């Protein structure tokens, strides 16, 4: 009758470690993309919670039998979808420790170590990224661990909003304008909605394939000038280093040069690519970061830190605390009253927070910066290998230049045209119709690949093109998995290009 | 060089289980409230991240030596502060499993089981709370697991805001008014700030000790009428069942009767007390819930589910999804396109989310509803024991009637007056000054209690009074800990009341 009986805790804890070890051992054998139908689980589980207790053995059996078939295996070595959900033994142990200690670190006094370790680790990591001193606590800036980039964007957006509204008046909220490229993550659109920014004032500036989908400072300037002319108030720019679709890189320095003339807050979202910047050879991609107001990346994407772990640095923490702090009486304490300490509740959306820093600290210590760089480089190397294979098969093309460990590719339009001309006449299709066919064939290719259950990739839709995305970075992926994956892609392409369906394409 | 080597995962995983088992075994011996000074940890840890890897043994040694002294032990059986951070073996294992699987469940297709188990468990729990069918998926409502109540309030506030703005026009955002009592958690103030609600339009209606700090429907109505008269637009009421300070209970039914006449969205925040409503004898406190729009409680507070786990139910999920959904191309998929499935990303602030349901599912199954009710009743029973002890010592008073497992008490003003009259003359103090002295003495009592390191309690400041809060609910707390705690309170009161300091109080 004790829900924290120590003998049971130990026995069941070992059992869960064994379960997960077995899971990792077998994970390559599961269909990477779950093949279940909607509502499969309601049919299998009871209608209501049990009145009586059930043993862990029965629960784990149900996990194996009913849950595992319904998950897509983000940790499979054959997982190449979205961006990776990065894990490691150290990241896992850190989360265990944080969960086990049950500390709620909303302010310093609630558990000083939770706050202090976080500030230390954020300085450590800031230094490894060569962020300017102004982003470190030693330079009057500082870092915080949030759950996701959505939160980092919302917090900085609200900070920027309050800053500008304090100058122009609260009633001007409907005049505020947010800028980004059309490649920017939907997190910005969502954060702007939540923060009460008029949706028509979220300006997604068009990018082009010819400039690798980077946001053009010139386009930014002309958009701003039109807005200013219309009596609107520019206040926030979200620049991205490593966009979701193609890892495009917005030029931070030149964008800041434009933005700063209008007092615009610049946030850099480097959710995926930020971690690579601990390697000197990749640091160049965040050049100009000394000019921005805030910078974030997700350690849970490509830094071996289990979900959730988003690292956000700001130059002026008071921008965050001015807009996000509350100080109800029940939280009053001497350390906060005398402003000797950081109270992270005022750097984030929520009050409660776990002991977030443990897992990142354990990742940094368990592997060391030297190995972490090598792990990342190894993923990039595998991406280069894949890219080279794609280039050697001239039915395919690399759609945008690879920079990190994401490769965007597709069957060339000419391949499809050639194939079509064997059956129906390719020239009878008008241009728009032809683009649709090319997209449809590539979509079919992706569906064949994922339908095999052997690998999982996702797509991007950029400049009107449906493109396959191969994101390398799952912790268990080795070169042999990449080779196997490429062979599968070729097999499915062989099948598709030889398929009758293609010879009489339907656009329905 | 493999960050997920299976032998190491198993070896280190066992080691962490052992570490936590030892921690729980010893946790009662640590000072509950950490006694470190600000910046203690920077002095102990290196300035930068290590280049070379370090073994788990060294890391755990540092945890023991440097981290443990800097945490306040929320899981100590002698922890009576704030509200409990509830844990259990099942909750811990569920978080391990979720962390270990590394699934990102932003939409159904990303991992169907993550979404489906969540919807099933929310229906299970909704039924145990006797929520009306309209809050269950079977009744066209539904539930979602968020991290904290702050998120539940922000999401529902944004949903309500968009609903009203779609009727009155986006430019009216500065006219929108939020209602709550002056006892409502600061989460509301913060959510309103983030959502762009004008802070002067967040109306915290005064409550009184004589009515146990419950929000009066009459006061709500008169406040609304004044606002409407001033051209403002009422749109959101946050009612609380179990306030942070004293577990006051706002009368849901009568408040809804007022609110509904003005089309106001009613959210019920039952962060702490909601879990008790699985016991039939406590269900009465959420009577009227059938009239509200949304209801939330934190399973990580008093439901044995490790952080973070906030349960939110809404009657009309489309209110959430209309205001929070984005559907970028990279997330498009057949199941979402055809609206056959739930995509929880559209029910929350962020895109990414863990496999949240596992831990709550494991708690419900491992203990069963029968035991869970008994655990909660046992906490209430211990609170009653404590309350009885306090009542027997007539130097003390119970400040507000106890309802759940929180007891609010203090040294009686008359006790302090009596003591003062031994030295200086009590009657020379004017009323305000006297109130300050009473508060100061009670604050000193709390400081003595917490300074002992033997227990940890926090305070509330209500109706001008500084009150000690004893919140019972840490998983390891047994009656013997409560008895020990009460003896300590008495000892410290003896010391304080016999102390010279009290005889010449300074109000500095």
């Amino acid at each position: 009758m004790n829900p924290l009986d120590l003998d049971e805790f130990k026995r069941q804890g070992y059992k869960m470690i064994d379960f997960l070890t077995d899971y990792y051992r077998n994970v390559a054998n599961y269909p990477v993309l779950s093949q279940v139908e909607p509502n499969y689980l309601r049919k299998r589980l009871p209608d209501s919670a049990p009145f009586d207790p059930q043993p862990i053995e029965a629960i784990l059996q149900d996990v194996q039998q009913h849950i595992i078939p319904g998950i897509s295996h983000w940790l499979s070595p054959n997982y190449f979808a979205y961006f990776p959900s990065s894990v490691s033994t150290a990241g896992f142990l850190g989360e265990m420790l944080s969960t086990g200690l049950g500390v709620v670190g909303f302010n310093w006094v609630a558990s000083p170590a939770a706050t202090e370790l976080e500030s230390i680790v954020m300085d450590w990591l800031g230094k490894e990224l060569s962020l300017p001193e102004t982003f470190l606590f030693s330079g009057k800036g500082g870092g915080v661990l949030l759950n996701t980039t959505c939160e980092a964007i919302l917090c900085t957006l609200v900070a920027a909003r309050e800053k500008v509204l304090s100058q122009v008046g609260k009633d001007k909220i409907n005049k505020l304008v947010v800028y980004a490229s059309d490649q920017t993550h939907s997190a910005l659109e969502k954060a702007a909605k939540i923060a009460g920014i008029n949706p028509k004032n979220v300006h997604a500036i068009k990018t082009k394939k010819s400039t690798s989908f980077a946001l053009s400072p010139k386009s930014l300037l002309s958009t701003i000038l039109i807005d200013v002319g219309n009596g609107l108030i520019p206040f926030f720019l979200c620049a991205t280093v490593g966009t979701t679709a193609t890892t495009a890189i917005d030029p931070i320095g030149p964008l800041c040069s434009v933005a700063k003339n209008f007092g615009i807050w610049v946030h850099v979202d480097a959710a995926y690519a930020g971690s690579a910047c601990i390697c000197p050879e990749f640091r160049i991609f965040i050049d100009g970061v000394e000019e921005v107001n805030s910078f974030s990346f997700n350690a849970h994407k490509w830094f071996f830190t289990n979900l959730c772990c988003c690292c956000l640095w700001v130059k002026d923490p008071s921008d965050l605390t001015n807009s996000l702090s509350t100080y109800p009486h029940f939280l009053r304490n001497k350390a906060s009253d005398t402003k000797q300490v950081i109270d992270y509740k005022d750097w984030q959306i929520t009050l409660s927070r776990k002991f977030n820093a443990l897992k990142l600290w354990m990742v940094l210590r368990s592997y060391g910066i030297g190995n972490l760089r090598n792990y990342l480089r190894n993923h990039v190397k595998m991406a280069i290998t894949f890219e080279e294979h794609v280039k050697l098969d001239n039915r395919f093309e690399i759609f945008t230049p690879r920079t990190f460990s994401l490769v965007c590719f597709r069957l060339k339009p000419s391949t499809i045209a050639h194939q079509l001309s064997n059956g129906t006449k390719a020239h009878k299709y008008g241009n728009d119709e032809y683009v649709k066919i090319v997209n449809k064939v590539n979509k079919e290719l992706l569906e064949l690949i994922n339908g095999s259950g052997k690998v999982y990739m996702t797509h991007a839709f950029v400049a009107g093109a449906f493109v396959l995305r191969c994101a390398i970075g799952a912790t268990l992926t080795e070169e042999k998995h990449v080779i196997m994956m490429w062979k599968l892609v070729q097999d499915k392409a062989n099948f598709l290009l030889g398929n009758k369906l293609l010879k009489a394409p339907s656009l329905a």
Side-chain angles (χ1 to χ4, degrees), chain A:
Chain A
M1 160 101 184
N2 173 2
L4 197 56
D5 175 88
L6 296 196
D7 292 336
E8 274 304 298
F9 178 83
K10 190 159 180 163
R11 186 182 77 83
Q12 296 186 28
Y14 279 21
K15 209 170 259 297
M16 186 58 85
I17 291 291
D18 293 349
F19 182 89
L20 285 167
T21 310
D22 286 345
Y23 173 72
Y24 297 142
R25 188 167 287 124
N26 296 321
V27 67
N29 305 324
Y30 295 122
V32 195
L33 173 64
S34 172
Q35 312 282 318
V36 299
E37 292 294 315
N39 290 313
Y40 87 100
L41 197 56
R42 275 206 189 243
K43 292 168 194 153
R44 300 185 185 201
L45 297 191
D47 250 10
S48 51
F51 186 84
D52 293 316
Q54 299 177 340
I56 185 69
E57 289 75 8
I59 296 171
L60 286 178
Q61 205 176 331
D62 283 353
V63 172
Q64 190 62 48
Q65 203 171 338
H66 301 306
I67 302 296
I68 297 292
I71 69 175
S72 294
H73 299 278
W74 287 67
L75 306 195
S76 168
N78 304 313
Y79 181 92
F80 304 98
Y82 306 108
F83 282 127
S85 166
S86 195
V87 298
S88 66
T89 299
F92 177 79
L93 294 184
E95 186 71 44
M96 272 175 89
L97 185 55
S98 169
T99 304
L101 295 176
V103 154
V104 189
F106 37 69
N107 57 10
W108 180 86
V109 77
S111 246
T115 297
E116 298 206 7
L117 189 66
E118 188 162 325
S119 71
I120 291 167
V121 167
M122 292 309 283
D123 272 5
W124 281 11
L125 198 49
K127 283 182 200 169
E128 297 304 330
L129 293 167
S130 302
L131 292 185
E133 179 84 13
T134 46
F135 280 102
L136 309 184
F137 284 99
S138 48
K140 311 266 182 203
V144 60
L145 292 171
L146 305 175
N147 289 307
T148 75
T149 297
C150 294
E151 294 178 4
I153 294 180
L154 178 55
C155 289
T156 52
L157 190 75
V158 169
R161 185 198 68 193
E162 290 305 291
K163 207 171 172 176
V164 67
L165 289 181
S166 73
Q167 293 155 11
V168 301
K170 291 259 178 229
D171 57 321
K172 295 286 199 305
I173 189 168
N174 274 303
K175 302 273 181 199
L176 302 184
V177 189
V178 171
Y179 300 89
S181 90
D182 60 358
Q183 300 298 309
T184 303
H185 193 280
S186 57
L188 179 68
E189 177 194 344
K190 187 158 181 169
K193 261 193 202 184
I194 292 170
I197 305 301
N198 199 322
K200 70 178 189 217
N201 292 346
V202 178
H203 290 172
I205 298 167
K206 209 166 152 47
T207 58
K208 291 182 296 193
K209 183 166 186 288
S210 60
T211 46
S212 293
F213 301 106
L215 175 57
S216 144
K218 216 173 124 187
S219 306
L220 174 67
L221 178 61
S222 58
T223 312
I224 291 174
L225 290 175
I226 293 169
D227 289 338
V228 171
N230 287 333
L232 298 175
I233 306 167
F235 87 108
F236 191 84
L237 166 67
C238 181
T240 308
V241 173
T243 58
T244 306
T246 64
T247 67
I249 295 159
D250 294 336
I252 302 179
L255 290 170
C256 283
S257 300
V258 173
K260 292 295 148 180
N261 289 331
F262 300 90
I264 293 172
W265 178 300
V266 181
H267 177 74
V268 172
D269 165 14
Y272 154 75
S275 34
C277 300
I278 65 162
C279 304
E281 68 271 31
F282 290 112
R283 175 56 177 74
I284 188 176
F285 297 116
I286 58 167
D287 277 0
V289 72
E290 58 281 3
E291 296 301 323
V292 311
N293 298 77
S294 49
F295 174 86
S296 64
F297 89 92
N298 288 344
H300 63 238
K301 272 206 168 62
W302 195 26
F303 205 65
F304 309 96
T305 309
N306 299 49
L307 275 175
C308 293
C309 190
C310 171
C311 307
L312 168 68
W313 289 267
V314 292
K315 251 190 204 159
D316 189 348
S318 72
D319 290 333
L320 286 179
T321 57
N322 285 344
S323 56
L324 295 171
S325 81
T326 55
Y327 195 28
H329 208 291
F330 79 97
L331 292 178
R332 293 205 188 162
N333 67 89
K334 208 173 79 185
S336 299
D337 281 342
T338 53
K339 298 190 189 299
Q340 295 176 278
V341 295
I342 301 161
D343 287 333
Y344 274 127
K345 69 180 175 57
D346 300 332
W347 295 51
Q348 63 175 24
I349 295 162
T350 62
L351 174 62
S352 290
R353 63 200 324 268
K354 291 178 78 166
F355 194 155
N356 294 331
L358 283 171
K359 58 187 170 184
L360 190 51
W361 179 63
M362 288 185 67
V363 165
L364 290 167
R365 291 194 61 184
S366 293
Y367 306 116
I369 294 295
N371 281 329
L372 288 166
R373 285 182 186 155
N374 288 336
Y375 298 157
L376 297 170
R377 285 168 177 149
N378 187 43
H379 289 147
V380 175
K381 194 168 145 268
M382 287 191 277
I384 293 171
T385 301
F386 178 72
E387 186 187 25
E388 282 166 355
H389 280 290
V390 175
K391 282 179 178 168
L392 285 172
D393 184 335
N394 65 13
R395 297 172 302 171
F396 288 90
E397 66 177 356
I398 300 293
F399 189 75
T400 45
R402 181 208 52 76
T403 310
F404 305 102
S405 67
L406 174 76
V407 181
C408 292
F409 69 104
R410 64 169 180 169
L411 282 167
K412 278 183 197 163
S414 59
T415 306
I416 293 161
H418 176 76
Q419 200 68 14
L420 287 171
S421 64
N422 293 343
T424 57
K425 296 260 176 359
H427 63 259
K428 90 172 195 191
Y429 298 105
N431 192 40
D432 276 4
E433 204 173 354
Y434 179 54
V435 166
K436 279 186 193 165
I437 291 168
V438 170
N439 286 342
K440 186 169 178 288
V441 172
N442 275 292
K443 188 165 182 237
E444 277 171 7
L445 175 61
L446 181 62
E447 280 165 6
L448 285 174
I449 292 167
N450 289 338
S452 75
K454 290 184 182 161
V455 305
Y456 181 22
M457 266 179 231
T458 50
H459 74 279
F461 192 78
V462 274
F466 185 98
V467 178
L468 284 75
R469 291 171 77 261
C470 170
I472 292 171
T475 308
L476 295 169
T477 301
E478 299 171 33
E479 195 175 89
K480 69 180 181 192
H481 302 107
V482 175
I483 302 296
M484 182 282 283
M485 178 261 294
W486 170 238
K487 285 206 175 116
L488 183 83
V489 172
Q490 285 185 308
D491 283 354
K492 297 300 174 189
N494 292 343
F495 174 80
L496 185 66
L497 295 172
N499 194 313
K500 282 189 193 151
L501 279 174
L502 183 59
K503 293 180 186 160
S506 136
L507 296 174

